[in-house]
Amino acid sequence: AGAELLRQGVVLIWGALEALCRDVLETTVNAHPELGKQLLDSPDGRKIFQIKAIDLDTLAKFDFNISTRLGTLLVQYHDLSKLTAIKGIFDVFCPSNSTLRTALASKQLWVLNQRRHLIVHNRGVVDQRYIENTGDKISIKHKIILRPKELEDYIGLVQEVGADILDAIKSLWNKHSGT
């Protein structure tokens, strides 16, 4: 039971980062729709959201006015469970923020994301893809084993990355608000 709780802790920790990123994306684009256009015009944004058209039923949910709800619309098109999506979004929003780029490029953050994926989609059972993606030294078909210290480290990591995201977005908002 303890091992399963640690695995679920990984899912919850990643979920906290994912929720922060989704909320930042939604709030930022709702307040600054020009950033939504910038995101959708970028190669990363097109790849992440793959929006070719918005159907009338979707527009009707927004009373045919998405001028201040473009962010809300975007978060409905794609979840942010993949680190590559998060990096793509913040590469567009904050391309020159080296602190954020470094934080999002962290190997530890990559492994956390891969472990979350393995737990959610493969019940924590290691497969070849996981080993190739992480370089972890665990046998295929065994359940991933986590130590409490790893969970503590992941909490600290997500706190630091979250703070870096908020700092970067604060700067972006200041730039787009003229302050």
Side-chain angles (χ1 to χ4, degrees), residues 30-149:
N30 281 348
H32 302 284
E34 69 278 7
L35 292 172
K37 179 169 180 359
Q38 181 182 337
L39 179 61
L40 292 173
D41 286 345
S42 73
D44 282 334
R46 282 192 301 272
K47 183 177 176 183
I48 294 165
F49 295 101
Q50 300 180 7
I51 299 173
K52 295 188 191 315
I54 301 171
D55 63 87
L56 287 176
D57 289 335
T58 300
L59 285 174
K61 287 184 209 173
F62 291 91
D63 297 322
F64 298 96
N65 181 3
I66 60 169
S67 62
T68 59
R69 296 185 284 173
L70 181 57
T72 304
L73 178 73
L74 288 181
V75 298
Q76 292 177 7
Y77 276 91
H78 194 283
D79 68 17
L80 298 179
S81 63
K82 293 183 179 175
L83 182 56
T84 53
I86 292 170
K87 287 169 67 173
I89 289 164
F90 289 106
D91 280 351
V92 171
F93 284 170
C94 312
S96 60
N97 189 310
S98 60
T99 301
L100 182 56
R101 289 176 81 90
T102 300
L104 293 175
S106 156
K107 178 163 175 46
Q108 190 180 15
L109 190 63
W110 172 254
V111 171
L112 171 61
N113 183 237
Q114 294 299 306
R115 286 181 170 183
R116 174 250 171 232
H117 183 83
L118 185 73
I119 292 163
V120 169
H121 298 287
N122 209 22
R123 296 180 33 226
V125 177
V126 174
D127 57 16
Q128 185 63 39
R129 182 175 176 202
Y130 171 80
I131 290 172
E132 289 169 2
N133 286 342
T134 65
D136 214 342
K137 305 291 183 215
I138 188 169
S139 299
I140 294 175
K141 296 187 181 178
H142 285 99
K143 277 200 171 186
I144 191 167
I145 305 292
L146 298 156
R147 296 182 306 279
K149 175 72 172 112

Side-chain angles (χ1 to χ4, degrees), residues 7-30:
R7 283 189 286 273
Q8 290 308 308
V10 164
V11 174
L12 293 171
I13 292 166
W14 180 264
L17 179 63
E18 186 179 328
L20 173 68
C21 293
R22 183 181 51 251
D23 290 349
V24 165
L25 168 65
E26 181 175 2
T27 304
T28 298
V29 173
N30 281 348

